């Protein structure tokens, strides 16, 4: 496909182009062709996610040192009630900044819960904390920000993030919650979700099915 060879297009441009193709009506494009575009789209989403995920979880020491370059944002967060940040990025830089300096962070996910973490045999070995917001609420009223008069950061990831997923057949939007303090807690939840949030399936390929991509 031409867009894959176009050096001027970044990955979001390419994914958007593919999405247009597989959403074409049946009378404009045969079903098997639309399915092929959807398959390529899904594969690229998976590839991009893992590239970004790898850069996060395998560079914890570097990311832990990086917030010092963003100390001014931390200062603004302490002076505003709150500081609103709108980000187009998928990374967890702001989340790590808030964790590093102990700044209150609200992403509009007011519900709480846990997901089961399992080993390769399917045995439950722990729980992963999450925050949630119903998609129905999101569509009707937006995110559920509770801290509108407190110092800290209210963060909106316009294009989603590495730690945000849909659940319950897309009825809920889920955001991973830190599993500990500091930058390590933010990256630890991202690592656990990708390595231990799975289901054992002996008859399926690797013997396990991932819960996210």
């Amino acid at each position: 496909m031409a867009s894959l060879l176009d050096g001027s297009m970044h990955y979001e441009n390419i994914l958007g182009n593919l999405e247009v193709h597989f959403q074409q009506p049946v009378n404009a494009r045969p079903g098997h062709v639309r399915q092929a575009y959807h398959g390529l789209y899904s594969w690229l989403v998976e590839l991009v996610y893992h590239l970004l995920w790898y850069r996060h979880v395998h560079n914890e020491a570097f990311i832990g040192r990086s917030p010092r370059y963003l100390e001014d944002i931390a200062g603004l967060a302490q002076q505003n009630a709150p500081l609103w940040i709108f980000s187009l990025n998928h990374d967890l830089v702001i989340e790590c900044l808030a964790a590093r300096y102990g700044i209150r962070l609200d992403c509009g996910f007011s519900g709480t819960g846990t997901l089961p973490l399992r080993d390769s045999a399917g045995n439950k070995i722990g729980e992963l904390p999450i925050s949630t917001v119903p998609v129905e609420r999101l569509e009707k009223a937006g995110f559920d920000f509770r801290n509108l008069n407190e110092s800290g950061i209210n963060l909106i990831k316009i294009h989603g993030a590495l730690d945000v997923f849909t659940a319950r057949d897309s009825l809920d939007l889920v955001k991973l919650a830190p599993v500990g303090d500091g930058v390590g807690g933010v990256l630890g939840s991202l690592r656990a979700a990708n390595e231990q949030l799975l289901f054992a399936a002996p008859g399926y390929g690797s013997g396990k099915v991932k819960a996210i991509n």
Side-chain angles (χ1 to χ4, degrees), residues 164-186:
V164 174
F165 312 92
T166 58
R168 295 200 309 125
D169 294 328
S170 297
L171 294 177
D172 290 333
L173 202 60
V174 170
K175 182 176 177 64
L176 305 180
V179 293
D181 297 328
V183 172
V186 175

Side-chain angles (χ1 to χ4, degrees), residues 83-89 145 153-158:
L83 174 67
W84 287 86
I85 296 179
F86 299 83
S87 174
L88 298 174
N89 292 352
F145 286 97
I153 295 174
N154 282 5
L155 174 64
I156 294 180
K157 292 291 191 65
I158 297 174

Side-chain angles (χ1 to χ4, degrees), residues 61-98:
F62 174 77
I63 294 174
R65 296 191 300 269
S66 298
R68 69 179 184 272
Y69 299 111
L70 302 173
E71 286 183 349
D72 287 345
I73 295 178
L76 287 172
Q78 294 167 349
Q79 297 168 18
N80 287 271
L83 174 67
W84 287 86
I85 296 179
F86 299 83
S87 174
L88 298 174
N89 292 352
H90 301 107
D91 61 59
L92 305 184
V93 170
I94 300 299
E95 289 86 344
C96 289
L97 171 72

Side-chain angles (χ1 to χ4, degrees), residues 21-26 29-39:
H21 283 288
F22 72 70
Q23 290 182 347
Q24 291 285 331
V26 176
R29 191 181 300 279
H32 70 281
V33 176
R34 288 187 293 117
Q35 187 61 37
Y37 275 112
H38 186 270

